[in-house]
Amino acid sequence: MEAELLRVEEVAELGRAIVIAPENVAKDLREFVGEDVVGGIFPGVIFDGKVYNDRVVAVRCDFEVYRGSSAANAKGRTLLTILDGWSERAESLLEDVYAKLGNSVTYFGGGAGSLNGKIDCLFIGKEFFRDDAVFVALRESFDVAIRHGWIATERTFFANRTSGRKIIELDWEPAFDVYASTLHELGAELRRENFLDVAKAYPFSITRARGEDIVRDPIAVEGDEIVCAGRVAEGSLLRLMRGDKESLIRAAEFCAEELGCVEITLDCVSRVLYLGEDFRREAKFMRGSFGALTIGEVACVRGYPIFHNKTVVMGCRRTNS
Amino acid sequence: MQKDKLLAAVLELEKTAKPGAVEEVLKTFGRELLVLFDLDAFIVEVPLIELLVKIPENASCEGFSFEGAAIKVTVCGDIDGKLEKILRDILKKLDDVVLHSVYYEFTSKVFERSTDAIFIVDRERRVLQQNKKAREIFGNVEKLPEFGSVCEFGGKFYSVAEYDFDRVKAVVLRDVTKIKRLEEAAKESEEMFRTLAEATPVAVLAYTDERFVFANRAAEEITGYSRDELLSGIFWELFPEDEKEKVKAAMQKRLSGETVEPYVLRIRRKDGKEKIVQVYGSTAFWKGRRVGIVAISDVTRIVELEEKYRKIVESSPNHVAVVDLDGRFVEANPAMARSVGTNPVGKTLAELFDRDTAEDMLRKVREAIEKGSIVEAKEERDERVFITSYIPLEFGGVRRCSMIARDVTKIEEERKRLEELTKMLELINSILRHDVLNALTSARAFLEVYEEEKDESILEKVKAAIDRAVSIIRNVRSFEQIVKRGELRVVSVKKFAEDVAKNFDVPISVEGDCEVLADEGLRTIFENIFQNAVQHGETDRIDVKIKPVGNWCEVRIADYGKGVPDEIKDKIFEEGFKHGPRASTGLGLYAVKKLVERYGGEVWVEDNKPHGAVFVLRLRRFEAR
């Protein structure tokens, strides 16, 4: 597996490769991409501990590519999972593939797309598309680590009415009102106009008995409904989380230490937004790796594959694979 | 596990265990279980609906297991004792949910898809819910009226069943229109059967398990038992001991679904008398049971008559037989068997008669059958005469022909004899009138000559003529008597010729003799030929020569008169033929011919040389017979 940082026009010279591209070059990419190239367009790309918005990462390796649920027939040890981060269907496709393959493969990847809205963020050859998933089957086995580092507050909500990724009511009240009111108590003034700026620091989490809670990132408001970057089951007990830069950075450190080496990094774009300048401190744990800023993350060696939000995912090839 | 996280996870998981489509409930629960408790696989089986859900689908592991009333669950992953307890509690709830969901699914499907109209109503019969069928039939109903056990709506009938569930009731209306129509039809059929059975003169009985369950009036009459007696258990009493096996076999065969051909049976009436009956039977379902139904007709008289006529036919001298369309004998009486020398049953006409006869008979058989009417024919075979009646028969669609042949040989012979006799008597009558008249006319002529000439010798001629007339009358009388008896006897030809010759004045010589079968008519033959020679030929003498020629006796009577012209030789023997100025009645030679034929002989005339005629008689010699 060999990754390199290229200018977008250099993609034209690529043979068979996986390409991770920032949304800024999306238009040009269509011009240069060849038939043997697959990949996704993300808010940004990571290469050797730095974020790029004008370069692409190209990875040359032995792989097979599958679109959508056809990955249920995939052969390989790792499924590099590139989902449309805005698509609820993408989550379902991941679950469909898992239903067939179970834990015979490692699921490892994240959501592509633009923070500005839905785009054709997936491509196989010259075909660009959205609302789907691209699974790249790798022969190598990967060890993966995932952490979020967000801290639970004492505030909990009961998501009594939800619909997919939308929270309609919290505690039997309009979701936005309850959320805004709670943040107000915490000193943050949430309005529809500044929703993403404020909400990025106050995600929800779905409580798990074991393992890290599942973070749900509120990324938009539609009327009184809050749209998250992942599905929220009706009846979920949601805990309000708060950000702590140190904690977030420690999460990345923890992942890097757990793996021992970092070859691929997928870091939630909203973490980057939240960390701001401090992202450089987190990024140092990503040196030597390539990856993307994502809208949702996937990392699953065993158990059910969860579409996470606001996490950092790192992977490293197993030495004996 | 942190307590608050655990509680939250348990709470969330329990919330997913809610009634719904069972497969979806289990998939949602399984997914949440694996996510919230970070487990590896969830396998659940619902035997009640043969459902198996595996997350992931290729899961195969041994882990924590739970078996409830509706589900069998295996969960794999890192499960310690505490988690086991938690899982057990949650899965119990899931089990309840699934159980209820299964039954809910069952009942909702049954409710909604039922072909019965179902209403759920409150105590005031306000409709709380109604299924698809109810909506289709009755539309949206707000309140149900009180029903009887059957209600009619839109020309259809519905049975009504109401089930009480404390505060609500389920009212189920089932379309029983077809059943009701069938019931009505069945009722009508039964009524019709009873009416028919009562009206028919044939006894009708229905039975099952060796008991009569139905008997009509005719059954009472034929058995002598009342209907109540018949229905109260009288069964085997009806049959003489030696007929019971026959009855049992027929009943067994009939009730096992086989066809029993009609059969004849003796039954014993209540008064002990026996009747011979013909039994026709079948089976039917009646009031939910398979019953045997028999129609019994009293054939006692028929059987007796049949026996009587059978004896008549068997003892009849007539040939009686029944043949089929191919001319094959089906039945034949002993007379027929005797006539063909064998029992003809099974044989064809062609095998028993010569080809022409067989073909002729078969043609008549078919003609009678096709026409459907009797064909009568007179048939001669083996030197005998038969009058045969071909009578078409049809039994049960099978067409046959009865042949009754009467041997009428003797009658026919007698008829022929009478015919001949009649003709002969007519001839005798003519002869009498002709010959006597001739004699008397001669006598009168002689008397007239005598009155003119007073010649005494003429009186002798008058006397001779009168004597001839008397002789003719006398002879004819005896001839008449003999003819009436119709018997021929052996006579000497010469003797008759000589006797007749005595009555003629011209010399008549007679030579030779032979014996023939004849009667007094032979005398008439000679008289007529002699008279013809004298009167018409005006001969002066006659020579009679008699001699046997083979089986014949040839008699040549020659005169020397005018002779018979060739042109009338063939006509002179015809009845009433007259020729010449001295012609008389024209019957003399006709009588000769008829008498000769009666004796089986023949007569003709030849020319004599140098003139005159020779009458030749050929009569059968007695010796030749």
Side-chain angles (χ1 to χ4, degrees):
Chain A
M1 181 175 282
E2 183 188 334
E4 52 187 327
L5 192 67
L6 301 175
R7 290 192 305 277
V8 67
E9 59 269 25
E10 291 175 308
V11 171
E13 295 163 16
L14 285 172
R16 189 168 173 76
I18 304 163
V19 169
I20 302 165
E23 61 179 287
N24 285 354
V25 301
K27 195 177 172 186
D28 296 334
L29 184 66
R30 285 178 181 258
E31 188 180 338
F32 299 111
V33 76
E35 287 295 343
D36 292 331
V37 177
V38 302
I41 297 165
F42 294 85
V45 299
I46 297 169
F47 190 81
D48 195 22
K50 286 181 184 169
V51 171
Y52 294 88
N53 293 319
D54 56 351
R55 299 290 179 94
V56 301
V57 175
V59 185
R60 291 192 178 89
C61 64
D62 192 7
F63 66 88
E64 293 292 331
V65 67
Y66 301 91
R67 180 171 172 176
S69 55
S70 67
N73 303 311
K75 290 181 176 65
R77 294 194 174 94
T78 301
L79 273 186
L80 189 58
T81 304
I82 308 171
L83 311 174
D84 179 347
W86 286 99
S87 171
E88 224 172 282
R89 181 170 174 266
E91 280 183 80
S92 300
L93 287 171
L94 171 63
E95 289 176 348
D96 290 346
V97 173
Y98 165 75
K100 295 287 180 191
L101 297 178
N103 294 122
S104 63
V105 295
T106 296
Y107 304 88
F108 172 36
S114 163
L115 274 179
N116 297 320
K118 296 180 179 180
I119 60 169
D120 289 338
C121 55
L122 307 172
F123 59 93
I124 297 176
K126 288 185 173 297
E127 188 182 3
F128 285 70
F129 47 91
R130 67 178 82 175
D131 199 27
D132 210 328
V134 171
F135 294 91
V136 181
L138 304 173
R139 288 197 307 179
E140 296 91 345
S141 295
F142 275 77
D143 287 326
V144 296
I146 180 167
R147 286 289 186 277
H148 59 71
W150 296 86
I151 296 167
T153 69
E154 296 301 314
R155 308 293 177 128
T156 55
F157 307 100
F158 184 67
N160 61 293
R161 274 188 72 200
T162 67
S163 175
R165 289 183 165 191
K166 289 178 183 170
I167 302 170
I168 300 166
E169 285 184 358
L170 289 171
D171 300 337
W172 297 274
E173 299 284 344
F176 177 79
D177 295 348
V178 174
Y179 183 53
S181 167
T182 304
L183 295 197
H184 175 74
E185 289 170 13
L186 295 174
E189 293 306 322
L190 179 74
R191 294 187 303 277
R192 287 181 174 77
E193 304 79 51
N194 67 357
F195 185 83
L196 192 57
D197 290 340
V198 176
K200 66 185 180 186
Y202 298 98
F204 301 107
S205 80
I206 298 166
T207 310
R208 298 172 77 197
R210 293 193 297 201
E212 269 203 318
D213 292 343
I214 303 162
V215 177
R216 283 291 167 259
D217 188 7
I219 53 174
V221 62
E222 290 179 2
D224 288 336
E225 297 169 2
I226 297 169
V227 182
C228 295
R231 195 167 50 212
V232 179
E234 194 166 272
S236 296
L237 195 64
L238 301 180
R239 192 183 289 273
L240 185 67
M241 310 293 274
R242 66 176 173 81
D244 176 87
K245 291 184 177 176
E246 295 306 317
S247 171
L248 263 62
I249 293 166
R250 269 202 304 278
E253 183 182 9
F254 185 88
C255 287
E257 284 177 359
E258 185 180 331
L259 292 173
C261 77
V262 182
E263 287 180 290
I264 300 175
T265 299
L266 300 156
D267 199 7
C268 182
V269 65
S270 70
R271 288 171 64 92
V272 180
L273 293 175
Y274 177 74
L275 287 171
E277 288 298 316
D278 290 317
F279 175 69
R280 282 183 299 176
R281 290 161 58 203
E282 183 171 84
K284 72 179 182 185
F285 300 108
M286 302 170 191
R287 281 182 191 150
S289 73
F290 64 88
L293 302 184
T294 55
I295 304 171
E297 301 76 38
V298 176
C300 174
V301 177
R302 47 157 287 277
Y304 203 87
I306 298 166
F307 190 65
H308 293 275
N309 295 163
K310 286 188 176 305
T311 60
V312 57
V313 173
M314 293 181 179
C316 179
R317 274 179 293 180
R318 282 185 201 154
T319 49
N320 58 352
S321 67
Chain B
M1 285 183 285
Q2 289 175 14
K3 184 180 173 183
D4 58 339
K5 290 182 72 172
L6 180 63
L7 289 175
V10 168
L11 183 64
E12 283 187 38
L13 187 59
E14 278 188 350
K15 286 217 163 282
T16 62
K18 57 186 178 186
V22 175
E23 187 171 358
E24 201 49 45
V25 166
L26 293 172
K27 281 183 173 172
T28 304
F29 179 89
R31 186 181 64 220
E32 292 303 310
L33 173 68
L34 299 186
V35 169
L36 295 173
F37 288 84
D38 195 23
L39 296 170
D40 295 339
F42 174 73
I43 302 168
V44 59
E45 195 182 343
V46 189
L48 276 174
I49 52 173
E50 293 190 337
L51 175 68
L52 176 65
V53 171
K54 284 182 169 187
I55 304 174
E57 287 176 21
N58 59 3
S60 173
C61 59
E62 287 183 6
F64 168 76
S65 64
F66 169 85
E67 187 167 343
I71 57 174
K72 289 179 181 175
V73 180
T74 303
V75 183
C76 302
D78 182 13
I79 300 170
D80 58 17
K82 187 173 181 181
L83 185 54
E84 276 189 10
K85 286 180 183 174
I86 293 167
L87 286 177
R88 204 173 301 284
D89 286 346
I90 297 174
L91 290 173
K92 270 182 195 169
K93 286 176 186 168
L94 179 69
D95 188 44
D96 287 342
V97 166
V98 170
L99 195 59
H100 281 88
S101 293
V102 166
Y103 284 115
Y104 177 78
E105 210 168 303
F106 274 147
T107 49
S108 350
K109 280 180 183 168
V110 168
F111 178 78
E112 199 53 30
R113 297 178 188 178
S114 172
T115 52
D116 295 333
I118 305 173
F119 293 91
I120 307 295
V121 297
D122 65 13
R123 285 172 178 166
E124 278 73 45
R125 299 183 75 77
R126 285 189 292 255
V127 176
L128 304 173
Q129 206 175 346
Q130 63 186 96
N131 73 347
K132 187 179 168 196
K133 197 70 182 177
R135 287 191 295 275
E136 282 174 6
I137 298 171
F138 302 100
N140 286 320
V141 180
E142 287 184 8
K143 193 171 182 181
L144 280 190
E146 291 291 342
F147 293 118
S149 59
V150 174
C151 77
E152 191 179 353
F153 182 83
K156 291 196 167 187
F157 293 93
Y158 299 91
S159 68
V160 181
E162 300 200 358
Y163 303 95
D164 228 326
F165 299 107
D166 292 336
R167 290 185 174 79
V168 295
K169 262 185 184 177
V171 182
V172 181
L173 289 96
R174 176 166 297 173
D175 186 346
V176 292
T177 313
K178 278 185 185 168
I179 295 168
K180 197 159 173 65
R181 300 259 189 275
L182 285 172
E183 276 176 0
E184 281 167 4
K187 202 174 168 185
E188 280 172 13
S189 294
E190 189 175 333
E191 270 177 26
M192 191 177 285
F193 167 74
R194 282 181 183 280
T195 307
L196 276 174
E198 285 305 325
T200 183
V202 176
V204 179
L205 292 153
Y207 63 87
T208 183
D209 300 331
E210 300 183 1
R211 279 182 75 90
F212 291 117
V213 292
F214 175 82
N216 68 348
R217 192 165 48 235
E220 291 181 303
E221 286 167 13
I222 201 168
T223 62
Y225 289 100
S226 71
R227 199 174 311 207
D228 288 343
E229 285 172 324
L230 286 167
L231 301 184
S232 67
I234 295 288
F235 192 82
W236 290 114
E237 292 85 336
L238 270 183
F239 309 108
E241 206 56 43
D242 57 341
E243 293 282 43
K244 285 182 180 172
E245 281 307 313
K246 193 195 286 183
V247 175
K248 278 180 190 170
M251 281 167 60
Q252 196 174 2
K253 205 173 169 188
R254 196 175 287 132
L255 289 174
S256 67
E258 290 181 58
T259 304
V260 179
E261 293 297 324
Y263 62 98
V264 174
L265 180 75
R266 284 184 297 113
I267 63 165
R268 189 166 50 216
R269 286 170 49 84
K270 187 180 180 184
D271 58 16
K273 289 180 184 167
E274 288 192 354
K275 286 265 184 193
I276 302 168
V277 295
Q278 175 99 16
V279 183
Y280 304 85
S282 183
T283 61
F285 274 99
W286 194 46
K287 295 184 176 175
R289 288 180 297 178
R290 182 177 275 277
V291 295
I293 296 178
V294 287
I296 294 171
S297 53
D298 184 352
V299 293
T300 311
R301 241 182 89 70
I302 295 168
V303 169
E304 284 170 359
L305 279 173
E306 193 178 84
E307 180 64 15
K308 188 174 161 186
Y309 286 115
R310 191 182 60 76
K311 281 181 182 167
I312 289 170
V313 169
E314 293 217 332
S315 59
S316 170
N318 293 333
H319 305 172
V320 182
V322 176
V323 296
D324 63 18
L325 268 168
D326 299 324
R328 189 173 296 281
F329 282 79
V330 179
E331 287 176 42
N333 74 342
M336 174 62 88
R338 279 195 299 277
S339 79
V340 295
T342 181
N343 180 1
V345 174
K347 295 187 173 71
T348 61
L349 290 166
E351 290 174 84
L352 298 168
F353 299 98
D354 65 68
R355 197 180 71 179
D356 290 345
T357 305
E359 283 178 1
D360 186 47
M361 292 170 86
L362 184 59
R363 187 178 51 75
K364 287 167 188 160
V365 164
R366 288 177 174 164
E367 185 186 339
I369 291 174
E370 280 162 20
K371 282 185 178 171
S373 60
I374 298 171
V375 171
E376 288 208 324
K378 189 178 187 179
E379 296 166 343
E380 289 183 26
R381 53 181 181 265
D382 300 332
E383 295 184 351
R384 303 200 70 77
V385 181
F386 296 91
I387 298 290
T388 307
S389 300
Y390 293 87
I391 305 163
L393 306 170
E394 185 166 347
F395 295 116
V398 178
R399 297 197 299 170
R400 287 172 177 163
C401 182
S402 169
M403 298 193 312
I404 301 173
R406 281 175 290 129
D407 187 342
V408 293
T409 311
K410 282 186 180 171
I411 295 170
E412 189 66 9
E413 284 172 359
E414 186 63 16
R415 187 186 63 78
K416 279 183 181 169
R417 197 186 68 80
L418 282 173
E419 263 181 26
E420 283 177 5
L421 187 60
T422 303
K423 280 187 180 175
M424 195 54 65
L425 286 173
E426 285 169 2
L427 182 61
I428 288 167
N429 187 35
S430 297
I431 291 168
L432 268 176
R433 282 188 285 125
H434 169 246
D435 290 359
V436 170
L437 193 62
N438 277 348
L440 292 176
T441 303
S442 295
R444 184 184 176 88
F446 283 133
L447 279 174
E448 284 172 358
V449 173
Y450 172 72
E451 280 175 355
E452 286 179 10
E453 297 178 4
K454 300 297 183 190
D455 182 355
E456 291 288 331
S457 65
I458 292 174
L459 288 175
E460 285 301 315
K461 288 183 180 177
V462 172
K463 188 182 171 188
I466 291 168
D467 286 346
R468 198 167 76 242
V470 171
S471 175
I472 288 166
I473 290 167
R474 187 181 297 123
N475 290 336
V476 165
R477 191 179 296 150
S478 66
F479 167 79
E480 186 181 328
Q481 286 167 354
I482 290 167
V483 169
K484 278 182 181 172
R485 278 166 56 194
E487 290 176 3
L488 300 179
R489 57 192 170 85
V490 180
V491 297
S492 162
V493 176
K494 184 179 182 182
K495 187 173 181 300
F496 270 84
E498 285 175 342
D499 280 355
V500 172
K502 286 175 188 168
N503 299 324
F504 284 85
D505 290 337
V506 294
I508 298 173
S509 69
V510 179
E511 281 182 22
D513 191 16
C514 44
E515 289 185 328
V516 296
L517 276 173
D519 55 18
E520 287 302 311
L522 188 56
R523 189 179 302 279
T524 301
I525 291 170
F526 282 119
E527 277 179 353
N528 275 304
I529 293 173
F530 291 171
Q531 180 67 27
N532 189 70
V534 172
Q535 189 174 339
H536 298 290
E538 297 175 8
T539 186
D540 56 353
R541 59 189 173 92
I542 296 169
D543 293 325
V544 178
K545 290 182 180 173
I546 304 165
K547 65 175 182 181
V549 178
N551 292 331
W552 300 96
C553 172
E554 188 175 277
V555 182
R556 298 183 70 87
I557 303 164
D559 68 53
Y560 301 94
K562 293 177 182 173
V564 179
D566 286 344
E567 63 271 19
I568 62 166
K569 278 193 175 75
D570 291 337
K571 297 177 183 173
I572 57 170
F573 295 104
E574 290 178 4
E575 184 180 4
F577 179 76
K578 295 174 186 174
H579 181 66
R582 303 186 69 177
S584 183
T585 62
L587 288 171
L589 292 179
Y590 172 67
V592 167
K593 183 172 180 280
K594 294 307 289 182
L595 284 166
V596 170
E597 283 175 357
R598 177 167 144 70
Y599 302 148
E602 54 186 337
V603 59
W604 67 89
V605 64
E606 297 175 357
D607 289 332
N608 199 6
K609 301 292 180 186
H611 55 83
V614 180
F615 283 81
V616 184
L617 303 177
R618 277 211 167 168
L619 302 171
R620 287 185 182 279
R621 285 176 65 198
F622 172 66
E623 292 81 357
R625 294 220 166 183

